[in-house]
């Protein structure tokens, strides 16, 4: 009998609830300041949040989280994640120490939990975060202004480099592909769900006008289109690539770690922009808001181009072309009402999904025709 695939545990699903709050708080931070410096600061704090979630996911992939000790460890990391989320609105102000200390505590807990499995790999993402980036975030929380930004940016950069630096050692570790692909799908779903929830909550705080109701409907259509691009055409491919990869860590690093960091960051940007325009559906978009909306969509689509190239060495032509169209529409978006801009973007995304559905259908029909033709060819007399 084939070995049963590892399933996501209830403890992991409960743990994910913390990161619903964290994603919401990152969006709130970006909402406060979405000029370029503000976007940079939001990215810098989102990386340790995503790395904490990812480190817990990797630990759960190689350990049995149904054991009491492991569950308690994951819940301890979850509490640290909740403190990080609590600190986020004022992470660059009065709560910097709370953010830095919570991250370091989370990484120390993960290092302790994972040490038995990674004993042969002394330098790994857990030891790097526990002894390098964690202390950097803690020290950053003790200083202020530019010094904090510089230290936290350095820590985020090191965290991003660690998967490359530890590749050789991690190639020795055996990972379960089904569990990993499921976990990262769930995080992307969390981000999409947060965007829908934020749209509804924001709209509920304003008068119910026809323009605002249409705006909510269009925003939901855009969220559905973003979901469709990933879950209808990509999610199963990622799982299959993980299953067949010669070196699993290469796919984990490029597609899951880096790819999903960009996917989820793009969704947060789109969600923040929609939250900005819901109150004023007939006003023109500010340039920074349009950049979040159309630039976030372009980043989301372009990331598929990155992951496709890294896994198959070919271009995701339709998605890259649509990303270019999204960027090309940015100047127009600031000259028309916000509702029209959002509708235009939703139409572009829906058109992409229709085009890809037609391509997939045509490929399937061709494959079926070829499979039907083969038996008749074999049975014909020579």
């Amino acid at each position: 009998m084939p070995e049963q695939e590892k399933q996501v545990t209830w403890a992991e699903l409960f743990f994910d609830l913390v990161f619903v709050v964290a994603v919401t708080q990152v969006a709130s931070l970006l909402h406060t300041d979405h000029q370029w410096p503000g976007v940079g600061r939001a990215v810098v704090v989102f990386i340790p949040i995503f790395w904490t979630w990812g480190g817990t996911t990797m630990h759960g992939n190689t350990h049995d989280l149904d054991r009491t000790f492991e569950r308690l460890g994951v819940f301890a990391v979850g509490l640290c994640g909740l403190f990080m989320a609590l600190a986020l609105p004022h992470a660059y102000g009065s709560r910097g120490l709370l953010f830095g200390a919570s991250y370091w505590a989370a990484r120390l807990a993960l290092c302790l939990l994972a040490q038995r499995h990674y004993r042969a790999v002394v330098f790994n993402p857990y030891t790097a975060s526990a002894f390098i980036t964690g202390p950097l975030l803690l020290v950053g929380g003790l200083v202020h202004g530019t010094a904090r930004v510089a230290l936290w940016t350095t820590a985020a950069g090191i965290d991003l480099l660690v998967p490359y630096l530890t590749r050789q050692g991690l190639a020795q570790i055996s990972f379960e592909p089904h569990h990993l692909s499921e976990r990262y799908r769930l995080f992307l779903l969390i981000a999409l769900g947060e965007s829908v929830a934020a749209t509804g909550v924001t709209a509920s705080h304003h008068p119910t006008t026809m323009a605002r109701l249409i705006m909510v409907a269009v925003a939901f259509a855009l969220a559905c289109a973003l979901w469709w691009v990933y879950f209808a055409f990509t999610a199963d491919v990622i799982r299959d690539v993980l299953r067949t990869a010669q070196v699993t860590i290469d796919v984990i690093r490029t597609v899951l770690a880096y790819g999903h960091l960009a996917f989820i960051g793009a969704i947060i940007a789109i969600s923040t922009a929609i939250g900005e325009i819901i109150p004023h559906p007939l006003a023109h978009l500010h340039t920074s808001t349009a950049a979040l909306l159309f630039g976030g969509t372009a980043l989301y689509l372009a990331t598929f181009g990155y992951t496709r190239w890294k896994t198959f060495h070919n271009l995701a032509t339709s998605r890259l072309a649509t990303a270019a169209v999204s960027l090309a529409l940015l100047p127009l978006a600031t000259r028309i009402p916000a509702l029209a801009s959002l509708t235009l973007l939703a139409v572009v995304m829906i058109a992409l999904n229709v085009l890809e559905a037609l391509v997939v259908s045509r490929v399937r029909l061709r494959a079926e025709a070829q499979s039907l033709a083969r038996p008749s060819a074999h049975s014909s007399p020579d």
Side-chain angles (χ1 to χ4, degrees):
M1 289 180 62
E3 187 177 350
Q4 188 176 4
E5 294 179 323
K6 183 178 179 68
Q7 302 298 313
V8 176
T9 65
W10 291 111
E12 289 172 294
L13 294 174
F14 179 69
F15 170 80
D16 286 349
L17 297 177
V18 168
F19 289 86
V20 174
V21 181
V23 168
T24 302
Q25 294 286 63
V26 173
S28 297
L29 184 66
L30 191 56
H31 172 78
T32 303
D33 180 6
H34 45 272
Q35 302 294 330
W36 284 115
V39 172
R41 286 192 291 269
V43 170
V44 164
V45 295
F46 178 59
I47 289 170
I49 287 171
F50 186 70
W51 246 235
T52 301
W53 180 90
T56 310
T57 291
M58 299 297 289
H59 173 72
N61 187 261
T62 54
H63 292 75
D64 181 8
L65 295 192
D66 283 331
R67 295 181 178 179
T68 300
F69 177 76
E70 300 291 348
R71 282 178 177 168
L72 293 175
V74 167
F75 292 164
V77 176
L79 178 60
C80 293
L82 187 59
F83 285 152
M84 291 172 71
L86 176 65
L88 269 181
H90 306 286
Y92 290 98
S94 60
R95 297 181 186 172
L97 181 58
L98 176 61
F99 185 83
S102 299
Y103 176 70
W104 193 21
R107 300 308 299 197
L108 286 171
L110 282 171
C111 189
L112 176 65
L113 288 169
Q115 65 170 338
R116 289 170 296 165
H117 199 78
Y118 289 84
R119 193 168 295 162
V121 187
V122 178
F123 182 63
N124 58 62
Y126 298 106
T127 55
S129 294
F131 299 109
I132 301 174
T133 60
L136 277 175
L137 259 77
L138 179 67
V139 174
L142 292 169
V143 297
H144 301 280
T146 305
R148 177 177 298 177
V149 174
L151 285 169
W152 284 5
T153 301
T154 301
I158 293 171
D159 270 342
L160 289 175
L161 280 174
V162 165
Y164 271 109
L165 299 177
T166 59
R167 185 259 184 195
Q168 186 173 357
L170 294 182
Q172 308 169 24
I173 307 295
S174 177
F175 297 98
E176 207 291 316
H178 173 80
H179 174 268
L180 277 181
S181 63
E182 193 78 4
R183 293 294 293 130
Y184 279 84
R185 278 185 280 188
L186 285 169
F187 201 117
L188 192 136
L189 202 59
I190 285 172
L192 282 172
E194 189 280 333
S195 72
V196 173
T199 298
V201 170
T202 303
S204 70
H205 292 158
H206 295 84
T208 306
T209 64
M210 182 57 66
R212 190 162 291 115
L213 287 175
I214 295 172
M215 177 75 84
V216 170
V218 174
F220 184 68
L222 177 61
C224 291
L226 295 170
W227 178 95
W228 206 284
V229 168
Y230 182 94
F231 286 94
F233 300 121
T234 302
D236 291 339
V237 175
I238 292 174
R239 183 191 58 211
D240 293 340
V241 168
L242 280 167
R243 184 178 289 125
T244 58
Q246 291 183 340
V247 183
T248 309
I249 192 61
D250 287 341
V251 181
I252 293 172
R253 184 184 67 236
T254 56
V255 177
L256 298 186
Y258 298 146
H260 283 70
L261 177 68
F263 283 140
I264 295 162
I267 292 170
I268 291 173
I270 296 166
S271 171
T272 302
I274 292 173
E276 288 283 311
I277 63 180
I278 286 286
H280 311 288
L282 300 180
H284 289 193
L285 291 179
H286 190 276
T287 302
S288 60
T289 305
L292 284 180
L293 183 60
F294 286 80
T297 303
L299 174 62
Y300 185 74
L301 295 172
T303 304
F304 288 105
Y306 163 77
T307 57
R308 174 76 66 84
W309 180 258
K310 284 294 187 179
T311 51
F312 300 112
H313 296 289
N314 58 39
L315 296 175
T317 309
S318 59
R319 298 185 182 192
L320 290 173
T322 308
V325 169
S326 180
L327 289 178
L329 290 172
L330 216 166
L332 174 63
T334 60
R335 292 176 170 83
I336 59 178
L339 177 55
S341 295
L342 187 64
T343 302
L344 186 59
L345 185 60
V347 168
V348 168
M349 286 299 301
I350 291 169
L352 171 64
N353 282 309
V354 171
L355 173 64
E356 292 194 337
L358 290 173
V359 171
V360 169
S361 178
R362 190 177 304 162
V363 169
R364 285 176 179 168
L365 288 173
R366 188 181 303 157
E368 290 173 3
Q370 289 175 350
S371 65
L372 289 173
R374 286 195 194 100
S376 62
H378 289 305
S379 62
S380 60
D382 188 1

